[in-house]
Amino acid sequence: MGALGITIALLVWVVTLMLISIWKQIHSSWNLPPGPFPLPIIGNLLQLDVKNIPQSFTKLAKRYGPVFTLYLGSRRTVVLHGYKAVKEVLLTHKNEFSGRGEIPAIEEYKDKGIIFNNGPTWKDVRRFSLSVLRDYGMGKQGNEARIQREAQFLLEELRKTQGQPFDPTFLIGGAPFNVIADILFHRRFDYKDKTCLRLMHLFNEDFYLLSTPWLQLYNNFSQYLRYMPGSHRKVIKNVSEIKAYTLERAKENLQSLDIDCPRDVTDCLLAEMEKEKRSGKPPVYTMENISVTLADLFFAGTETTSTTLRYGLLILMKYPEIEEKLHEEIDRVIGPTRIPAVKDRLEMPYMDAVVHEIQRFINLVPSNLPHEATQDTMLQGYLIPKGTVIIPTLDSLLYDSQEFPDPEQFKPEHFLNENGKFKYSDYFKAFSAGKRVCVGEGLARMELFLLLTAILQHFNLKSLVEPKDIDLKPIAIGFGCIPPPFKLCVIPRSQV
Ligand code: HEM
């Protein structure tokens, strides 16, 4: 056969493959929600702006409605947009859509731990971790006391800046880092400690990179891009280094473990492993599973709260009149010296509203984490096959213009009634809802309130640029919305 023959044979082969692929997609989408026509291999890539996929979802929802089908590469995906559809998926069909969609850059954690676990151990590990976190959160040495103690260290560190400009990323981040480190490992780190700074750097870099256009491409086309150079390799390396750290902690704890007297969450997980060994049950709590569980809680427990606090400070510098009202409320309810407590929240509707509005406005995890259908399920008359990736978007609730008029504007009034009291909104789903709802919601809310209140009780924020020139737009939108880098000064209020 000559060169022409080979070329023709190849062409026929490629065209046949393409036809089969198109046919398969059409065939399997017969009773799926509507959506744009997918091309072979790239699916609906052309309909997406990889710099802002959440915005592309919003545009597609305008065209196809609140429930639509997309092919992210070859992955069949159903996107939910708006209160009714998102709630239906997360709460009405909570079991059917409680699987976890794959995130290839974090393959090392796949089907282990909590966040990226789509396997049989997820339910057990999640339930057990929740109950242990609850135990450590309660009582005299519970989360309130833990955060209050850390707040004092944070204030001390802020005083050391002596009114000079600093980057808040790792200074502010040190507080949530230490709170979760205490729960997980019974440890606290100096804010300049090398290990602490290294781990925070890894968390921060991963959260940023996972939100960049390249990682959006990688996570949908990993089969083609896996061996290419690119920042996905950095994410994969970082994820590995984080797990190596938590594995080291687990091994260290194991040396001195007393299963009747656990010192921290690591001990509780190890005690479960020891009990399991004695019972002869199939293992759930292996060292591998334990180290990924710890890594999940460490990363999620630090980076989310840290980014929210940092973004919050930037927002408050843009709106000094809001900062002023917060100072006034803090002075009235707490005064200049007493450590803020959880009970103060009831008397501080303005602070409560500002914290909620920060979370709404920054829209930290805009498209939620991907879920997966665990079985064939009927949804609004459509049949969603088992294995379909499900995206219950959170920004579609947080930016709903009926519930939050002028959603693009930062307005604490979104959470205040006409009498200045806190106004609850069921659209506030920054932590998602249902079976996969954030495990750290209670802890994060407490940290945001106590730490922000403590900072503003003692300091005035000072921007290096005119408030009107502060740009609040995120620098990357993907897995998360990443705030722009900035520096600020904090001026002790006693000096003002
Ligand atoms: C501002 C702070 C936080 C925000 C906005 C946030 C948001 C979220 C969101 C949107 C999810 C995905 C839920 C879903 O798949 O439906 C999630 C899951 C999770 N979060 Fe958080 N989170 C925060 C803080 C924390 C903290 C402090 C911890 C740890 C103590 C934590 C641990 C987790 C874990 C383990 C999951 C996985 C749950 C599962 O897959 O079953 N998060 N979070």
Side-chain angles (χ1 to χ4, degrees):
M1 196 164 25
L4 184 65
I6 293 175
T7 312
I8 291 173
L10 270 176
L11 259 174
V12 169
W13 183 65
V14 168
V15 169
T16 312
L17 276 184
M18 280 172 75
L19 287 175
I20 291 172
S21 162
I22 292 175
W23 182 82
K24 265 190 176 167
Q25 285 174 358
I26 295 171
H27 179 72
S28 63
S29 65
W30 273 345
N31 197 13
L32 280 168
F37 187 77
L39 294 173
I41 300 175
I42 63 167
N44 294 115
L45 181 65
L46 301 180
Q47 277 86 20
L48 298 174
D49 172 5
V50 287
K51 285 202 202 103
N52 194 342
I53 289 183
Q55 194 181 56
S56 303
F57 288 162
T58 304
K59 283 188 185 153
L60 288 164
K62 283 199 183 116
R63 176 138 186 231
Y64 295 100
V67 183
F68 60 91
T69 308
L70 271 185
Y71 284 83
L72 300 177
S74 58
R75 283 194 296 179
R76 185 179 46 241
T77 305
V78 169
V79 180
L80 294 313
H81 198 271
Y83 182 75
K84 189 170 171 285
V86 170
K87 268 198 94 172
E88 190 168 344
V89 155
L90 292 178
L91 296 169
T92 315
H93 295 287
K94 52 181 179 242
N95 287 313
E96 297 91 317
F97 297 126
S98 66
R100 176 63 79 215
E102 200 181 337
I103 302 179
I106 313 189
E107 200 176 15
E108 191 175 344
Y109 292 14
K110 187 178 172 203
D111 295 347
K112 297 169 207 156
I114 312 173
I115 308 182
F116 308 101
N117 196 339
N118 191 33
T121 62
W122 165 70
K123 228 183 213 153
D124 247 326
V125 179
R126 178 180 162 105
R127 195 185 307 126
F128 183 70
S129 306
L130 263 173
S131 87
V132 173
L133 285 173
R134 207 166 290 144
D135 291 346
Y136 276 87
M138 289 185 317
K140 254 183 140 181
Q141 283 313 303
N143 285 339
E144 182 174 18
R146 198 171 270 125
I147 300 165
Q148 287 173 329
R149 191 178 59 225
E150 195 52 45
Q152 300 307 307
F153 286 109
L154 174 64
L155 295 174
E156 194 46 46
E157 216 51 40
L158 288 172
R159 274 182 210 111
K160 285 189 204 160
T161 63
Q162 298 191 325
Q164 295 303 304
F166 66 96
D167 177 340
T169 311
F170 298 136
L171 200 157
I172 298 288
F177 180 92
N178 269 329
V179 169
I180 192 77
D182 185 46
I183 299 172
L184 300 179
F185 313 116
H186 196 47
R187 266 176 195 230
R188 93 161 285 283
F189 296 78
D190 188 89
Y191 282 60
K192 303 254 164 17
D193 180 277
K194 267 198 186 142
T195 309
C196 164
L197 289 172
R198 174 71 189 158
L199 286 163
M200 279 199 282
H201 166 77
L202 297 174
F203 298 160
N204 186 260
E205 189 170 63
D206 271 1
F207 196 43
Y208 166 70
L209 289 176
L210 281 165
S211 307
T212 56
W214 176 253
L215 263 291
Q216 312 314 299
L217 282 175
Y218 181 79
N219 279 331
N220 293 308
F221 299 96
S222 60
Q223 65 271 47
Y224 308 107
L225 305 177
R226 188 173 301 258
Y227 301 105
M228 302 253 294
S231 49
H232 58 283
R233 290 177 174 253
K234 186 106 215 172
V235 176
I236 294 168
K237 245 177 98 200
N238 290 356
V239 159
S240 223
E241 192 177 332
I242 297 166
K243 201 190 80 184
Y245 176 80
T246 55
L247 181 62
E248 200 186 308
R249 291 282 69 73
K251 282 183 178 162
E252 195 180 283
N253 273 31
L254 191 58
Q255 305 275 317
S256 52
L257 178 71
D258 173 357
I259 63 167
D260 299 318
C261 195
R263 294 156 291 190
D264 47 30
V265 170
T266 307
D267 272 2
C268 295
L269 291 165
L270 291 168
E272 243 357 67
M273 177 174 88
E274 294 302 315
K275 282 187 214 158
E276 220 174 45
K277 276 185 196 157
R278 290 180 206 166
S279 74
K281 279 195 291 189
V284 172
Y285 298 92
T286 56
M287 282 304 262
E288 182 70 8
N289 213 351
I290 290 174
S291 51
V292 173
T293 305
L294 293 169
D296 280 353
L297 293 169
F298 207 6
F299 167 70
T302 303
E303 195 50 34
T304 49
T305 315
S306 162
T307 308
T308 306
L309 282 171
R310 182 165 86 253
Y311 222 148
L313 295 180
L314 185 66
I315 294 169
L316 292 181
M317 286 196 297
K318 185 162 180 75
Y319 301 107
E321 67 286 2
I322 296 179
E323 187 193 338
E324 200 44 52
K325 280 192 186 176
L326 290 172
H327 286 309
E328 186 278 317
E329 187 179 66
I330 293 168
D331 292 349
R332 182 164 41 80
V333 177
I334 309 178
T337 49
R338 180 170 66 73
I339 302 170
V342 170
K343 67 172 172 45
D344 295 322
R345 186 157 48 187
L346 285 175
E347 291 179 67
M348 295 175 65
Y350 197 69
M351 176 57 93
D352 206 3
V354 166
V355 171
H356 278 78
E357 182 65 356
I358 290 172
Q359 286 203 266
R360 184 199 72 78
F361 182 82
I362 71 168
N363 186 17
L364 191 68
V365 193
S367 303
N368 208 339
L369 264 60
H371 286 222
E372 197 178 287
T374 56
Q375 59 190 76
D376 292 356
T377 307
M378 288 303 291
L379 176 75
Q380 301 199 355
Y382 303 111
L383 178 69
I384 315 289
K386 178 179 175 179
T388 304
V389 176
I390 306 290
I391 302 193
T393 58
L394 299 178
D395 58 350
S396 64
L397 277 67
L398 299 175
Y399 274 71
D400 183 289
S401 58
Q402 296 270 309
E403 182 71 5
F404 303 114
D406 286 334
E408 308 290 334
Q409 296 296 315
F410 182 85
K411 284 188 186 170
E413 291 71 26
H414 283 139
F415 293 95
L416 290 168
N417 69 16
E418 54 288 356
N419 302 320
K421 296 274 174 259
F422 180 77
K423 184 172 81 183
Y424 167 85
S425 168
D426 202 39
Y427 285 59
F428 180 80
K429 291 279 180 277
F431 297 95
S432 189
K435 292 272 167 184
R436 284 271 178 184
V437 66
C438 174
V439 161
E441 174 170 356
L443 175 66
R445 281 170 176 266
M446 206 187 271
E447 286 185 288
L448 293 175
F449 175 77
L450 293 178
L451 295 174
L452 201 59
T453 305
I455 295 171
L456 294 172
Q457 182 185 31
H458 292 272
F459 297 100
N460 282 323
L461 310 175
K462 196 172 124 196
S463 166
L464 305 191
V465 296
E466 282 292 308
K468 68 172 176 32
D469 295 329
I470 295 178
D471 188 356
L472 296 176
K473 270 201 296 301
I475 51 163
I477 304 174
F479 190 74
C481 283
I482 310 297
F486 67 97
K487 285 190 174 174
L488 80 161
C489 303
V490 293
I491 312 296
R493 290 187 63 211
S494 50
Q495 285 177 16
V496 181

XYZ file of all heavy atoms in Angstrom, residues 392-463:
589
model
N -23.498 22.197 41.096
C -24.534 23.052 41.708
C -23.906 24.414 42.043
O -23.377 24.607 43.115
C -24.892 22.303 43.008
C -23.900 21.159 43.137
C -22.831 21.324 42.089
N -23.950 25.344 41.086
C -23.222 26.614 41.227
C -23.680 27.379 42.468
O -24.878 27.456 42.756
C -23.429 27.510 39.994
O -24.827 27.743 39.844
C -22.879 26.865 38.734
N -22.725 27.955 43.186
C -23.072 28.730 44.382
C -23.208 30.208 44.054
O -24.014 30.922 44.665
C -22.004 28.529 45.470
C -21.830 27.086 45.956
C -20.727 26.994 46.995
C -23.131 26.524 46.528
N -22.448 30.686 43.037
C -22.536 32.109 42.699
C -23.927 32.480 42.204
O -24.372 33.614 42.353
C -21.451 32.518 41.687
C -21.512 31.725 40.386
O -22.268 30.743 40.329
O -20.793 32.103 39.432
N -24.636 31.501 41.625
C -25.975 31.819 41.107
C -26.935 32.138 42.252
O -27.952 32.791 42.049
C -26.516 30.660 40.256
O -26.694 29.501 41.047
N -26.628 31.696 43.463
C -27.449 32.056 44.629
C -26.909 33.334 45.273
O -27.666 34.254 45.597
C -27.444 30.930 45.673
C -28.433 29.788 45.455
C -28.075 28.974 44.223
C -28.488 28.875 46.668
N -25.586 33.392 45.422
C -24.975 34.534 46.119
C -25.136 35.830 45.317
O -25.110 36.924 45.878
C -23.490 34.262 46.383
C -23.184 33.052 47.274
C -21.683 32.793 47.363
C -23.749 33.245 48.677
N -25.256 35.708 43.994
C -25.407 36.898 43.144
C -26.818 37.002 42.555
O -27.004 37.654 41.531
C -24.319 36.909 42.051
C -23.048 37.558 42.558
C -22.243 36.927 43.505
C -22.670 38.832 42.143
C -21.103 37.536 44.007
C -21.532 39.450 42.644
C -20.755 38.794 43.579
O -19.632 39.419 44.083
N -27.798 36.370 43.206
C -29.182 36.463 42.737
C -29.686 37.903 42.933
O -29.695 38.413 44.054
C -30.041 35.485 43.544
C -31.481 35.460 43.063
O -32.201 36.464 43.293
O -31.881 34.457 42.460
N -30.121 38.535 41.835
C -30.404 39.970 41.934
C -31.761 40.268 42.580
O -32.032 41.405 42.955
C -30.299 40.636 40.563
O -31.199 40.012 39.696
N -32.626 39.248 42.685
C -33.900 39.450 43.403
C -33.634 39.447 44.907
O -34.125 40.288 45.639
C -34.861 38.292 43.099
C -35.286 38.173 41.680
C -36.542 38.989 41.445
O -37.507 38.847 42.181
N -36.505 39.851 40.441
N -32.841 38.466 45.326
C -32.567 38.312 46.756
C -31.601 39.380 47.256
O -31.742 39.886 48.368
C -31.976 36.909 46.996
C -31.678 36.578 48.450
C -32.936 36.376 49.292
O -34.054 36.388 48.748
O -32.767 36.208 50.528
N -30.622 39.711 46.418
C -29.602 40.690 46.812
C -29.550 41.785 45.739
O -28.709 41.720 44.827
C -28.221 40.019 46.932
C -28.183 38.861 47.899
C -27.950 37.574 47.440
C -28.374 39.051 49.263
C -27.907 36.498 48.318
C -28.328 37.981 50.146
C -28.099 36.702 49.675
N -30.444 42.792 45.825
C -30.458 43.837 44.786
C -29.062 44.451 44.641
O -28.340 44.599 45.631
C -31.456 44.865 45.341
C -32.294 44.107 46.318
C -31.438 43.021 46.880
N -28.677 44.786 43.423
C -27.308 45.256 43.117
C -26.272 44.255 43.620
O -25.389 44.602 44.415
C -26.991 46.590 43.819
C -27.682 47.754 43.184
O -27.975 47.653 41.976
O -27.934 48.738 43.892
N -26.339 43.030 43.175
C -25.437 42.013 43.743
C -23.955 42.328 43.546
O -23.128 41.860 44.312
C -25.825 40.724 43.013
C -26.541 41.160 41.790
C -27.182 42.463 42.106
N -23.627 43.146 42.520
C -22.210 43.455 42.262
C -21.666 44.468 43.267
O -20.466 44.729 43.307
C -22.014 44.031 40.843
C -22.610 43.194 39.711
C -21.863 41.891 39.492
O -20.674 41.852 39.836
O -22.488 40.922 39.008
N -22.579 45.090 44.026
C -22.157 46.085 45.019
C -21.965 45.436 46.381
O -22.762 44.579 46.773
C -23.236 47.174 45.177
C -23.472 48.004 43.942
C -22.234 48.804 43.575
O -21.601 49.411 44.433
N -21.875 48.769 42.296
N -20.934 45.889 47.111
C -20.735 45.415 48.476
C -21.643 46.227 49.395
O -21.431 47.426 49.583
C -19.266 45.591 48.893
C -18.999 45.067 50.285
C -18.726 43.725 50.486
C -19.046 45.909 51.388
C -18.499 43.227 51.772
C -18.828 45.419 52.672
C -18.552 44.071 52.859
N -22.673 45.577 49.945
C -23.642 46.290 50.781
C -24.027 45.432 51.973
O -24.808 44.468 51.812
C -24.944 46.516 49.981
C -24.914 47.592 48.959
C -26.350 47.722 48.495
C -26.514 48.657 47.350
N -27.889 48.538 46.817
N -23.555 45.752 53.163
C -23.966 44.979 54.345
C -25.486 44.941 54.490
O -26.038 44.003 55.081
C -23.320 45.746 55.505
C -22.172 46.469 54.893
C -22.576 46.798 53.488
N -26.176 45.940 53.898
C -27.655 46.000 53.985
C -28.301 44.769 53.352
O -29.480 44.500 53.604
C -28.182 47.275 53.307
C -27.845 48.571 54.037
C -26.354 48.943 53.960
O -25.697 48.510 52.987
O -25.850 49.621 54.880
N -27.557 44.044 52.539
C -28.122 42.800 51.992
C -28.513 41.840 53.114
O -29.319 40.939 52.918
C -27.091 42.102 51.089
C -26.961 42.751 49.740
N -25.756 42.938 49.098
C -27.893 43.247 48.900
C -25.949 43.519 47.928
N -27.247 43.712 47.777
N -27.882 42.016 54.287
C -28.175 41.118 55.413
C -28.723 41.874 56.623
O -28.562 41.435 57.755
C -26.905 40.327 55.793
C -26.486 39.357 54.730
C -25.533 39.717 53.778
C -27.064 38.097 54.644
C -25.156 38.832 52.778
C -26.698 37.203 53.656
C -25.734 37.572 52.709
N -29.346 43.036 56.363
C -29.940 43.790 57.474
C -31.387 44.131 57.135
O -31.689 44.465 55.974
C -29.166 45.095 57.696
C -27.744 44.962 58.274
C -27.000 46.289 58.171
C -27.787 44.480 59.724
N -32.281 44.087 58.131
C -33.656 44.519 57.857
C -33.788 46.017 58.126
O -32.819 46.682 58.517
C -34.688 43.671 58.627
C -34.631 43.929 60.128
O -34.055 44.926 60.579
N -35.222 43.036 60.898
N -34.989 46.524 57.957
C -35.155 47.987 58.060
C -34.911 48.502 59.483
O -34.676 49.691 59.682
C -36.517 48.454 57.500
C -37.777 47.807 58.046
C -37.981 46.343 57.568
O -37.186 45.844 56.744
O -38.933 45.706 58.066
N -34.943 47.579 60.463
C -34.646 48.004 61.845
C -33.175 47.814 62.221
O -32.809 47.904 63.393
C -35.492 47.205 62.846
C -36.961 47.374 62.570
O -37.394 48.484 62.237
N -37.717 46.287 62.655
N -32.365 47.493 61.235
C -30.932 47.318 61.511
C -30.603 45.979 62.147
O -29.487 45.759 62.614
N -31.585 45.066 62.163
C -31.321 43.730 62.726
C -30.795 42.813 61.611
O -31.088 43.026 60.435
C -32.623 43.121 63.292
C -33.189 43.911 64.461
C -32.555 43.479 65.776
C -32.975 44.328 66.943
N -32.028 45.350 67.380
N -30.073 41.763 62.032
C -29.535 40.829 61.042
C -30.666 40.127 60.286
O -31.638 39.677 60.890
C -28.633 39.784 61.718
C -28.054 38.812 60.731
C -26.995 39.196 59.928
C -28.594 37.545 60.579
C -26.476 38.315 58.980
C -28.090 36.663 59.629
C -27.023 37.055 58.837
N -30.519 40.059 58.964
C -31.555 39.410 58.149
C -30.975 38.144 57.513
O -30.044 38.215 56.718
C -32.005 40.385 57.051
C -33.142 39.860 56.201
C -33.681 40.932 55.273
C -32.815 41.073 54.037
N -33.211 42.127 53.126
N -31.567 37.005 57.878
C -31.113 35.714 57.341
C -31.544 35.588 55.876
O -32.617 36.043 55.496
C -31.744 34.592 58.187
C -31.633 33.223 57.579
C -30.486 32.461 57.771
C -32.674 32.685 56.814
C -30.370 31.205 57.202
C -32.574 31.431 56.244
C -31.419 30.695 56.445
O -31.309 29.456 55.869
N -30.700 34.988 55.069
C -31.120 34.669 53.699
C -30.804 33.207 53.408
O -29.669 32.755 53.615
C -30.378 35.542 52.686
O -30.595 35.013 51.383
N -31.805 32.506 52.907
C -31.589 31.100 52.558
C -30.746 30.965 51.281
O -30.362 29.867 50.898
C -32.943 30.397 52.396
C -32.802 28.890 52.572
O -32.022 28.464 53.457
O -33.426 28.136 51.798
N -30.496 32.116 50.619
C -29.647 32.092 49.424
C -28.168 32.121 49.802
O -27.305 31.976 48.950
C -29.945 33.297 48.524
C -31.226 33.186 47.746
C -32.446 33.041 48.384
C -31.211 33.244 46.352
C -33.623 32.948 47.669
C -32.381 33.153 45.623
C -33.588 33.002 46.282
O -34.742 32.912 45.571
N -27.877 32.366 51.079
C -26.477 32.401 51.518
C -25.991 30.962 51.663
O -26.169 30.327 52.702
C -26.355 33.169 52.840
C -24.927 33.231 53.332
C -24.042 34.150 52.802
C -24.460 32.353 54.301
C -22.708 34.200 53.231
C -23.139 32.388 54.730
C -22.265 33.312 54.192
N -25.392 30.453 50.584
C -24.931 29.062 50.597
C -23.443 29.005 50.249
O -23.003 28.178 49.446
C -25.743 28.224 49.588
C -27.198 28.020 49.985
C -27.357 26.911 51.006
C -28.802 26.706 51.415
N -29.262 27.631 52.463
N -22.651 29.892 50.881
C -21.212 29.918 50.606
C -20.546 28.599 51.002
O -19.471 28.261 50.498
C -20.563 31.071 51.357
N -21.184 27.860 51.923
C -20.609 26.589 52.381
C -21.307 25.397 51.714
O -21.144 24.271 52.154
C -20.749 26.464 53.899
C -19.993 27.532 54.668
C -20.631 28.697 55.083
C -18.653 27.368 54.966
C -19.944 29.681 55.788
C -17.956 28.349 55.672
C -18.605 29.505 56.086
N -22.120 25.684 50.688
C -22.911 24.660 50.019
C -23.977 24.112 50.986
O -24.282 24.765 52.001
C -22.018 23.558 49.458
O -22.745 22.681 48.646
N -24.531 22.939 50.686
C -25.592 22.377 51.530
C -25.691 20.891 51.245
O -25.102 20.392 50.287
C -26.922 23.068 51.203
N -26.438 20.180 52.087
C -26.690 18.755 51.841
C -25.577 17.860 52.344
O -24.824 18.207 53.246
N -25.478 16.702 51.727
C -24.581 15.646 52.220
C -23.096 16.024 52.158
O -22.281 15.454 52.878
C -24.769 14.374 51.377
C -26.099 13.727 51.575
C -26.047 12.758 52.726
C -27.438 12.347 53.116
N -27.538 11.501 54.256
N -22.757 16.918 51.232
C -21.350 17.306 51.078
C -21.070 18.670 51.691
O -19.991 19.232 51.471
C -20.987 17.366 49.596
C -20.802 16.024 48.944
C -19.343 15.572 49.078
N -19.146 14.262 48.492
C -17.995 13.604 48.532
N -16.924 14.135 49.076
N -17.907 12.411 48.017
N -22.037 19.221 52.410
C -21.857 20.574 52.948
C -20.518 20.667 53.676
O -20.051 19.695 54.280
C -23.042 20.957 53.879
C -23.093 20.100 55.130
C -22.982 22.432 54.267
N -19.904 21.843 53.632
C -18.591 22.062 54.236
C -18.540 21.532 55.672
O -19.392 21.862 56.491
C -18.285 23.549 54.215
S -16.778 23.963 55.081
N -17.510 20.754 55.940
C -17.330 20.157 57.258
C -16.914 21.219 58.297
O -17.139 21.065 59.487
C -16.239 19.050 57.130
C -15.639 18.683 58.459
C -16.808 17.821 56.424
N -16.310 22.305 57.813
C -15.767 23.296 58.746
C -16.617 24.550 58.867
O -16.137 25.571 59.373
N -17.893 24.485 58.438
C -18.714 25.701 58.424
C -18.761 26.400 59.789
O -18.525 27.606 59.892
C -20.130 25.388 57.932
C -21.045 26.592 58.034
C -22.391 26.436 57.342
O -22.622 25.393 56.694
O -23.199 27.376 57.443
N -19.044 25.644 60.839
C -19.173 26.237 62.174
C -17.865 26.887 62.612
O -17.844 28.021 63.109
N -16.772 26.179 62.380
C -15.458 26.694 62.771
C -15.127 27.965 61.982
O -14.703 28.980 62.549
C -14.391 25.620 62.518
C -12.954 26.055 62.760
C -12.722 26.343 64.239
C -11.969 24.985 62.284
N -15.350 27.914 60.671
C -15.007 29.057 59.820
C -15.809 30.297 60.224
O -15.274 31.400 60.331
C -15.272 28.708 58.358
N -17.108 30.117 60.477
C -17.952 31.268 60.845
C -17.461 31.895 62.145
O -17.432 33.112 62.297
C -19.398 30.821 61.031
C -20.140 30.633 59.717
C -21.461 29.970 60.026
N -22.302 29.813 58.872
C -23.246 30.679 58.515
N -23.446 31.764 59.214
N -23.982 30.450 57.462
N -17.089 31.028 63.091
C -16.615 31.530 64.376
C -15.298 32.287 64.204
O -15.093 33.356 64.764
C -16.418 30.334 65.324
C -16.542 30.685 66.771
S -16.108 29.294 67.805
C -17.624 28.448 67.998
N -14.416 31.724 63.393
C -13.115 32.368 63.157
C -13.298 33.726 62.479
O -12.670 34.705 62.883
C -12.250 31.489 62.248
C -11.687 30.273 62.936
C -10.749 29.512 62.035
O -11.235 28.867 61.075
O -9.548 29.536 62.249
N -14.141 33.772 61.469
C -14.305 35.024 60.729
C -14.822 36.116 61.660
O -14.322 37.238 61.670
C -15.263 34.836 59.543
C -14.746 33.920 58.423
C -15.805 33.702 57.361
C -13.476 34.496 57.789
N -15.817 35.772 62.466
C -16.391 36.779 63.369
C -15.384 37.203 64.431
O -15.128 38.398 64.625
C -17.677 36.240 64.019
C -18.235 37.184 65.048
C -18.922 38.323 64.659
C -18.035 36.967 66.404
C -19.411 39.228 65.606
C -18.506 37.854 67.354
C -19.204 38.989 66.950
N -14.788 36.243 65.115
C -13.908 36.583 66.246
C -12.624 37.268 65.787
O -12.173 38.230 66.413
C -13.570 35.323 67.062
C -14.743 34.681 67.817
C -14.276 33.424 68.544
C -15.356 35.661 68.821
N -12.042 36.780 64.708
C -10.754 37.354 64.288
C -10.931 38.747 63.690
O -10.187 39.676 64.014
C -10.046 36.415 63.298
C -9.618 35.056 63.891
C -9.075 34.141 62.805
C -8.553 35.234 64.991
N -11.950 38.908 62.847
C -12.174 40.237 62.255
C -12.531 41.257 63.342
O -12.045 42.396 63.330
C -13.292 40.150 61.205
C -13.313 41.272 60.185
C -12.000 41.335 59.422
C -14.459 41.080 59.191
N -13.363 40.821 64.292
C -13.742 41.730 65.381
C -12.508 42.105 66.199
O -12.303 43.286 66.520
C -14.812 41.066 66.286
O -15.898 40.673 65.461
C -15.310 42.024 67.352
N -11.665 41.117 66.509
C -10.472 41.405 67.319
C -9.555 42.383 66.584
O -9.026 43.331 67.184
C -9.733 40.104 67.634
N -9.378 42.180 65.277
C -8.488 43.085 64.511
C -9.033 44.519 64.574
O -8.307 45.475 64.873
C -8.367 42.618 63.035
C -7.684 41.253 62.952
C -7.596 43.657 62.203
C -7.706 40.603 61.568
N -10.337 44.660 64.327
C -10.910 46.017 64.258
C -11.093 46.644 65.649
O -11.213 47.856 65.773
C -12.237 45.995 63.498
C -12.082 45.634 62.020
C -13.436 45.442 61.370
C -11.288 46.719 61.274
N -11.137 45.810 66.669
C -11.209 46.348 68.030
C -9.908 47.119 68.345
O -9.934 48.134 69.023
C -11.357 45.178 69.017
C -11.486 45.600 70.475
C -11.513 44.374 71.393
O -10.902 43.343 71.100
N -12.234 44.491 72.498
N -8.807 46.615 67.784
C -7.501 47.193 68.152
C -6.857 48.070 67.086
O -5.956 48.845 67.408
C -6.535 46.066 68.524
C -6.935 45.389 69.797
N -6.523 45.835 71.029
C -7.774 44.350 70.029
C -7.068 45.086 71.961
N -7.836 44.167 71.387
N -7.294 47.932 65.825
C -6.588 48.660 64.766
C -7.535 49.378 63.809
O -8.653 48.927 63.566
C -5.736 47.692 63.934
C -4.653 47.017 64.720
C -4.832 45.716 65.192
C -3.457 47.673 65.013
C -3.836 45.081 65.926
C -2.456 47.038 65.751
C -2.645 45.746 66.215
N -7.009 50.474 63.246
C -7.616 51.085 62.060
C -6.851 50.569 60.857
O -5.620 50.429 60.914
C -7.461 52.608 62.094
C -8.465 53.248 63.032
O -9.610 52.813 63.137
N -8.024 54.275 63.739
N -7.558 50.303 59.775
C -6.895 49.827 58.561
C -6.486 51.047 57.736
O -7.250 52.005 57.631
C -7.852 48.950 57.748
C -8.557 47.830 58.524
C -9.557 47.112 57.623
C -7.528 46.830 59.071
N -5.295 50.973 57.154
C -4.862 52.095 56.316
C -4.370 51.560 54.980
O -3.446 50.735 54.929
C -3.753 52.861 57.029
C -3.527 54.238 56.431
C -2.576 55.037 57.281
C -1.411 55.493 56.412
N -0.273 55.932 57.156
N -5.007 52.049 53.926
C -4.641 51.595 52.589
C -3.458 52.414 52.070
O -3.283 53.562 52.469
C -5.855 51.787 51.677
O -5.467 51.668 50.344
